[in-house]
Amino acid sequence: MQQSYFLGGATAGGFRTRFSEQIQQPGFYTYILKGGPGTGKSTLMKRVAAAFDGEPISLYHCSSDESSLDAVVLEDRGVVIVDGTAPHVFEAKYPLVSQELVNLGACLDKKKMQDAGEEVRQAADENAQWHQRARQYVQAVTALHQDLTALGNHALLHQKLTGFGERLAKRTLPKARGAAGSISYRQLSALTASGYVTQPLPPDYQITELLDPLYTASDTLLRQLAAQACKRGLHVIASENILFPEPMLEAVLLPELKLAFSARTPIRQEETPNAVHMHMTRFYHKELLAQRKQRITFDRKAALALAEEASSAIANALTVHDRLESHYIDALDFDQVSRIAEDLIAQIRARS
């Protein structure tokens, strides 16, 4: 049983991830992979996931390259394997107690890398330039989203929405059962080379989609549901839209109930099959929205156009990254990487 997420994604302030919270969970042991691009980190993680197929596994994809893995979590075994290189740098806080470094860079032929040094430097610099360009577009998207949020807050019917949220929680969630629940953050959506992409929700979940043209009402309702679920002793998985100055909640998953509430917004338009729809426009003051219709329309269209440009820049960065990666692949001892992978799998089995 596998569920996919993104490790993080592009924001106006650069790459953002909450995965350090996963690493710091009590009872988890983390293998942090080090090494340049093309040193087999993603391939190793895919081999680990395949070795424990059938167990509860969380796969964390790279937002710059969706085909690549950035982390694997073996949930029942309490084991994390994560790429600890830039832009998501992780280090061992408690070496060989809670975390362990695995150096795949040692599998590289040093002379081959030095011979390709000039090409590697050029590709690395060009890759960074494309990511900087993407960040500039994301900054513009974030500014427009900030304006949409302000408009949404101004028009939001707070009392009506709060009352509805209370009734929905009472109807949907069980009664409190003593100890408070918990909340963890996992990224279901990210801006990628192919646009704003959302990982599929579990197929056995009952899903309610919140259709929201302004983000604010769905964020408010999702936060209310998450808080109520925690009060009732449930574990909540929350996913954020990070293309805002302050991230907005975009989805709430309740694994114990197999329930999910997910926002469909201007940037997240793909419809979830078999989902129940909930229209959020009823929680906005219609006259105020009508007065600002032109501004709202402009903000939404401009944000989408700029997001497309950011995705295009990420795609160009990926093309350059593939060129960069080819030099590392050419210098890599694949047999040594394979031995490290098998040893890691054996270590994980021995931990159980």
Side-chain angles (χ1 to χ4, degrees), residues 287-298:
E287 290 184 4
L288 290 179
L289 291 185
Q291 292 170 11
R292 293 162 177 79
K293 182 178 179 180
Q294 186 173 357
R295 181 172 157 190
I296 291 169
T297 300
F298 172 82

Side-chain angles (χ1 to χ4, degrees), residues 161 164-166 168 210 216-226 252 261 278 280 283:
L161 181 55
F164 174 79
E166 290 175 354
L168 180 62
L210 314 180
T216 310
S218 54
D219 171 72
T220 302
L221 181 59
L222 289 171
R223 290 184 187 280
Q224 188 176 3
L225 289 172
V252 165
F261 296 87
M278 185 179 294
M280 304 304 290
F283 300 113

Side-chain angles (χ1 to χ4, degrees), residues 7 48 94 99-100 145 154 157 162 173 195 202 221-222 226 241 246 291 305 313 326 328-329 335 350:
L7 190 76
V48 171
Y94 305 110
Q99 300 92 23
E100 179 176 337
H145 279 177
H154 183 64
L157 299 171
T162 299
L173 306 178
L221 181 59
L222 289 171
N241 183 331
E246 294 295 330
Q291 292 170 11
S326 67
Y328 286 86
I329 291 172
D335 290 338

Side-chain angles (χ1 to χ4, degrees), residues 27-246:
F28 275 78
Y29 191 86
T30 302
Y31 296 92
I32 302 173
L33 308 183
K34 297 289 186 176
T39 53
K41 299 185 297 295
S42 177
T43 301
L44 183 150
M45 285 186 273
K46 289 175 182 177
R47 287 185 66 170
V48 171
F52 297 97
D53 187 34
E55 299 184 12
I57 299 176
S58 294
L59 304 176
Y60 290 80
H61 295 263
C62 173
S63 57
S64 295
D65 179 4
E66 295 172 68
S67 66
S68 179
L69 287 181
D70 275 345
V72 170
V73 179
L74 306 177
E75 301 287 356
D76 286 353
R77 292 177 182 266
V79 171
V80 177
I81 306 98
V82 62
D83 180 349
T85 57
H88 34 78
V89 177
F90 302 107
E91 300 294 346
K93 185 176 182 180
Y94 305 110
L96 302 181
V97 175
S98 298
Q99 300 92 23
E100 179 176 337
L101 298 181
V102 179
N103 181 20
L104 296 181
C107 304
L108 290 168
D109 184 313
K110 187 175 181 179
K111 187 177 185 308
K112 283 187 177 181
M113 288 307 306
Q114 291 178 341
D115 289 345
E118 185 59 31
E119 292 90 340
V120 168
R121 283 189 288 271
Q122 288 179 358
D125 290 346
E126 187 179 349
N127 176 266
Q129 290 167 4
W130 280 114
H131 277 295
Q132 175 59 28
R133 185 168 182 175
R135 180 177 171 181
Q136 290 169 342
Y137 285 123
V138 169
Q139 288 171 341
V141 171
T142 299
L144 290 163
H145 279 177
Q146 185 175 27
D147 190 51
L148 282 170
T149 302
L151 292 168
N153 277 322
H154 183 64
L156 190 65
L157 299 171
H158 291 273
Q159 188 173 356
K160 180 179 180 180
L161 181 55
T162 299
F164 174 79
E166 290 175 354
R167 294 190 298 274
L168 180 62
K170 187 175 181 180
R171 185 171 73 245
T172 307
L173 306 178
K175 293 181 179 179
R177 52 192 188 190
S182 59
I183 184 167
S184 60
Y185 291 88
R186 302 187 183 185
Q187 202 67 39
L188 281 167
S189 302
L191 194 61
T192 75
S194 53
Y196 192 75
V197 173
T198 300
Q199 298 291 351
L201 293 170
D204 57 344
Y205 273 45
Q206 180 183 332
I207 301 167
T208 299
E209 283 192 334
L210 314 180
L211 311 185
D212 189 356
L214 283 172
Y215 302 96
T216 310
S218 54
D219 171 72
T220 302
L221 181 59
L222 289 171
R223 290 184 187 280
Q224 188 176 3
L225 289 172
Q228 289 294 329
C230 282
K231 285 183 180 179
R232 288 163 164 80
L234 297 172
H235 176 62
V236 177
I237 296 175
S239 178
E240 298 173 316
N241 183 331
I242 56 178
L243 299 178
F244 286 84
E246 294 295 330

